[in-house]
């Protein structure tokens, strides 16, 4: 890994340099909070942001995506070739970079790579930015508070300058052309350690740090707690809508008004939706809130880990804010903490 230092005043020039060849997506301020949107000027970028309402996932896995078009009159099918836009996603927090890395495991690095996802991923550069945790962040519990790979540049804010971690030649060339990067000094490295320590000490200490979470998910799989938690679920699917790692989808055929032509689309789906596990004949394998909520938490905290050696949850805290019924992984950790206290008595 190559490290350089740039002055904070050089950042607009770096954004402008990316805009010459790429669509630049970055966090911008809106009435409801912050969101990743295509920008028209470096002035639009808000890097000192709290967690965005939704993650950058939509730029790799769109909410609705056409896979093919068809004509029933002549029984023909035409593969749909989406226009892939060269893009830079600028100002991505470490938890979201780790979330993208987990999506890569499913759609890019698996046995059957998804060509739609891979095309977008390969056309995208990622520039990360350091952050300070909010009260609902728990990325440090899942080792997702640092991005060790999955980015092209990563900027550590040191006040009047940035320590830049460089991991791609393409991004390095743009950085070199737009800024005056210099070799990090001992003072720069000391400031980096200080900034890292401040971040680590800023996490909400009231969120339980539970070990062996995956094992506990198995041990308490049939606990009455899931009845109580699932009973609160409104099946609104807000949790999966904002989650940076949810990747379930449905395939739907949509007809045009003439009833003769149409398209096959991939659309986001959610395992907390009542119809998610319903099959032909009407049987529903998870027909109540208890089984649906438990399944979602199990996949996040155990199932994915068993296959990929890492939690699917990255602790970004979006679901904590989105769920009006207060159903989230922090609740599960607090349940395990209570169980541990009961066993200790």
């Amino acid at each position: 890994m190559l490290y350089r230092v740039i002055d904070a005043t050089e950042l607009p020039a770096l954004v402008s340099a990316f805009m010459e060849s790429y669509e630049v997506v970055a966090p911008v301020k809106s009435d409801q909070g912050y969101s990743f949107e295509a920008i028209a000027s470096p002035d639009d970028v808000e890097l000192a942001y709290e967690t965005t309402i939704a993650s950058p996932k939509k730029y790799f896995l769109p909410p609705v995506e056409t896979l093919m078009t068809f004509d029933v009159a002549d029984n023909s099918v035409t593969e749909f070739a989406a226009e892939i836009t060269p893009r830079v996603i600028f100002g991505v927090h470490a938890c979201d970079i780790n979330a993208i890395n987990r999506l890569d495991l499913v759609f890019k690095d698996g046995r059957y790579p998804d060509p739609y996802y891979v095309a977008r991923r390969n056309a995208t550069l990622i520039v990360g930015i350091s952050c300070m945790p909010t009260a609902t962040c728990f990325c440090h519990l899942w080792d997702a508070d640092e991005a060790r790979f999955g980015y092209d540049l990563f900027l550590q804010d040191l006040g009047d300058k940035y320590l830049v971690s460089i991991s791609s030649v393409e991004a390095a060339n743009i950085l070199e052309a737009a800024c005056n990067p210099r070799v990090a000094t001992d003072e720069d490295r000391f400031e980096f350690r200080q900034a890292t320590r401040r971040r680590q000490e800023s996490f909400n200490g009231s969120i339980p740090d539970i070990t062996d979470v995956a094992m506990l998910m198995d041990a308490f799989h049939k606990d009455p707690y899931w009845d109580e938690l699932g009973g609160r679920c409104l099946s609104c699917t807000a949790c999966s809508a904002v989650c940076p790692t949810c990747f379930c989808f449905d395939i739907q055929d949509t007809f045009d008004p003439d009833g003769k032509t149409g398209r096959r689309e991939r659309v986001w789906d959610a395992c907390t939706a009542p119809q998610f596990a319903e099959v032909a004949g009407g049987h529903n394998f998870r027909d109540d809130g208890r089984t649906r909520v438990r399944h979602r938490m199990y996949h996040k905290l155990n199932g994915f880990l068993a296959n990929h050696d890492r939690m699917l949850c990255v602790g970004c805290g979006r679901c904590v804010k989105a769920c009006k019924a207060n159903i989230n992984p922090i609740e599960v950790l607090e349940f395990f903490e209570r169980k541990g206290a009961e066993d200790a008595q």
Side-chain angles (χ1 to χ4, degrees):
M1 196 71 68
L2 184 64
Y3 295 94
R4 291 293 184 266
V5 175
I6 63 171
D7 292 330
T9 55
E10 296 181 281
L11 205 61
L14 178 60
V15 176
S16 295
F18 279 123
M19 292 178 69
E20 292 178 6
S21 304
Y22 300 89
E23 176 189 77
V24 175
V25 169
V28 299
K29 186 73 171 65
S30 65
D31 292 339
Q32 302 300 319
Y34 297 92
S35 60
F36 281 100
E37 305 293 344
I39 62 169
S41 164
D43 295 335
D44 297 337
V45 182
E46 294 281 352
L47 289 183
Y49 70 99
E50 294 185 353
T51 307
T52 53
I53 299 169
S55 78
K57 177 179 67 175
K58 63 182 180 181
Y59 294 102
F60 304 103
L61 188 66
V64 180
E65 179 176 19
T66 299
L67 304 181
M68 68 179 191
T69 59
F70 55 81
D71 189 326
V72 296
D74 58 13
N75 198 30
S76 65
V77 171
T78 303
E79 291 188 12
F80 185 78
E83 182 177 345
I84 303 301
T85 303
R87 179 178 290 129
V88 175
I89 305 183
F90 198 100
V92 186
H93 287 170
C95 60
D96 280 338
I97 293 175
N98 282 294
I100 295 168
N101 291 340
R102 283 153 173 75
L103 294 177
D104 285 351
L105 292 172
V106 177
F107 291 104
K108 184 171 77 73
D109 302 328
R111 185 176 180 182
Y112 302 104
D114 183 279
Y116 306 92
Y117 178 93
V118 171
R120 292 186 177 91
R121 187 71 172 91
N122 290 341
T124 304
L125 300 182
I126 295 177
V127 179
I129 186 73
S130 61
C131 61
M132 293 295 284
T134 67
T136 56
C137 292
F138 54 102
C139 53
H140 62 306
L141 300 182
W142 307 147
D143 196 28
D145 58 322
E146 294 183 6
R148 298 181 178 87
F149 62 94
Y151 59 82
D152 296 271
L153 299 177
F154 193 93
L155 310 176
Q156 171 64 56
D157 188 356
L158 299 180
D160 60 348
K161 57 191 172 184
Y162 290 95
L163 178 68
V164 186
S165 174
I166 306 170
S167 63
S168 82
V169 173
E170 189 172 359
N173 290 338
I174 294 174
L175 178 73
E176 185 73 31
C179 307
N180 295 298
R182 59 184 183 274
V183 176
T185 64
D186 288 342
E187 180 184 354
D188 295 326
R189 285 185 282 269
F190 174 76
E191 291 181 31
F192 169 71
R193 290 194 298 272
Q194 293 292 98
T196 300
R197 187 174 295 112
R198 285 194 299 271
R199 174 177 54 80
Q200 292 172 338
E201 293 173 349
S202 297
F203 282 99
N204 185 351
S206 67
I207 300 175
D209 185 0
I210 306 295
T211 58
D212 297 324
V213 171
M215 183 187 70
L216 291 170
M217 289 296 297
D218 278 329
F220 294 102
H221 189 70
K222 297 183 178 180
D223 195 274
Y225 168 74
W226 299 110
D227 291 305
E228 188 275 326
L229 197 66
R232 298 187 224 155
C233 183
L234 304 174
S235 298
C236 66
T237 71
C239 52
S240 60
V242 300
C243 179
T245 63
C246 277
F247 55 81
C248 290
F249 59 84
D250 191 15
I251 301 294
Q252 299 177 356
D253 287 345
T254 303
F255 280 87
D256 295 323
D258 61 10
K260 298 178 181 179
T261 59
R263 57 202 171 276
R264 177 160 293 176
E265 296 174 324
R266 172 163 62 184
V267 299
W268 285 1
D269 206 350
C271 61
T272 52
Q275 74 280 3
F276 182 83
E278 186 174 351
V279 296
H283 180 71
N284 195 329
F285 285 93
R286 290 187 289 275
D287 60 356
D288 57 32
R290 171 182 177 272
T291 53
R292 290 194 291 269
V293 168
R294 185 180 64 184
H295 173 80
R296 184 173 193 273
M297 292 299 176
Y298 193 89
H299 189 214
K300 295 291 181 185
L301 307 180
N302 184 307
F304 194 84
L305 177 70
N307 291 321
H308 299 290
D309 198 32
R310 65 201 71 186
M311 293 287 191
L312 187 57
C313 176
V314 294
C316 68
R318 288 185 176 95
C319 61
V320 181
K321 299 177 181 178
C323 180
K324 302 307 179 185
N326 202 32
I327 301 171
N328 56 70
I330 295 177
E331 281 280 294
V332 176
L333 295 177
E334 291 174 346
F335 162 67
F336 290 147
E337 184 179 50
R338 291 194 300 272
K339 283 294 184 180
E342 291 172 5
D343 292 342
Q345 293 177 356

